[in-house]
Amino acid sequence: MRRTGPFAMALHVGVTVFMLAPLVIVCLVAFTPENTLSIPWGTYSLRWFRAVFEHSDLMHSFWNSLGVATIAATLSVALAVPAGIAIARYEFSGRQALNGLLLSPLIVPHLVLGVAMLRLFALVGARGSATWLALAHVVIVTPYALRLVVAALAGLDRSAEQAALSLGASHLTVFRRVTLPLMLPGITGGWMLAFINSFDEATMSIFITSPQTVTLPVRMYMIATESIDPMMAAVSALMVAVTAVAMIVLDRLYGLDKVLIGPH
């Protein structure tokens, strides 16, 4: 195995610092005691975190985001499991087309999806509904759940299923007692990844939220267009922390290398 040269190592360090520096700075600014965006030097304060929890609009938007993300992630997994089984295990006409259709939201700009969803909801009279907002999020997060479900099925040893069938178990029993438990890490990872992407979604949501269904990223955008203070940094730091914890759990359950690269 060839060792990484000094130039490659320096490049890796530079890219890592470039990517992490904005997050570190935002998290530091969140602890400033001042009224302006500034890095605290020696004096730290939790006043802006307290301001976040006392801001009624932000908290209302947080609960909206939490509910929408939970529903969207759950529905996306419910769609991804049967679709993943069909794509990973069966050969049929249109298999690749189905796979491409379900993964297509990954390459379609969310701005385009937002305009399309806005037009669709206007036609069916569904504007202002949290349910329709969650369904719109299902469209953009299903590819993440599907990717992990297919990856889990691709690395699954089918000998246990075949043994259960040979002993007289029905296909439904085999799926419930054997296949589903073996797929559970991939399903859990897919749900978490879908939840994270739904919770952080802003571009498409801007077009289809109503005053009653404003999500947290959209609320942050609305506040930032009027003024920017350290409270926005505090909200951003909290979102970074939640996302980091979720990614750590996802790595422990399934492995980020399988999520980002695929099964080896």
Side-chain angles (χ1 to χ4, degrees), residues 15-186:
V15 171
T16 301
V17 171
F18 180 79
M19 294 178 64
L20 293 181
L23 299 179
V24 173
I25 291 175
V26 166
C27 292
L28 288 175
V29 171
F31 291 94
T32 183
E34 306 296 333
N35 293 323
T36 58
L37 296 175
S38 59
I39 298 178
W41 301 105
T43 304
Y44 299 91
S45 173
L46 296 176
R47 59 173 294 199
W48 296 110
F49 290 97
R50 184 169 57 253
V52 170
F53 291 106
E54 293 175 351
H55 197 291
S56 59
D57 288 340
L58 279 175
M59 294 308 299
H60 179 70
S61 297
F62 167 78
W63 291 115
N64 283 341
S65 289
L66 187 64
V68 169
T70 301
I71 295 172
T74 303
L75 292 178
S76 68
V77 167
L79 290 173
V81 169
I85 292 174
I87 292 171
R89 292 193 166 180
Y90 297 97
E91 292 288 343
F92 56 91
S93 178
R95 173 173 171 268
Q96 294 299 328
L98 175 63
N99 187 45
L101 176 65
L102 293 174
L103 295 179
S104 61
L106 291 174
I107 61 174
V108 178
H110 288 194
L111 177 65
V112 175
L113 288 174
V115 174
M117 290 293 179
L118 176 63
R119 180 58 178 165
L120 173 64
F121 291 173
L123 289 175
V124 301
R127 288 174 293 182
S129 170
T131 302
W132 286 93
L133 176 61
L135 292 177
H137 278 218
V138 170
V139 174
I140 61 175
V141 302
T142 295
Y144 300 99
L146 179 64
R147 178 179 172 86
L148 266 68
V149 169
V150 172
L153 287 167
L156 194 64
D157 185 3
R158 303 193 64 179
S159 59
E161 298 173 283
Q162 295 167 354
L165 288 171
S166 67
L167 292 173
S170 65
H171 287 278
L172 180 59
T173 301
V174 171
F175 175 77
R176 183 171 55 88
R177 301 291 296 273
V178 179
T179 308
L180 191 59
L182 292 174
M183 292 173 56
L184 195 57

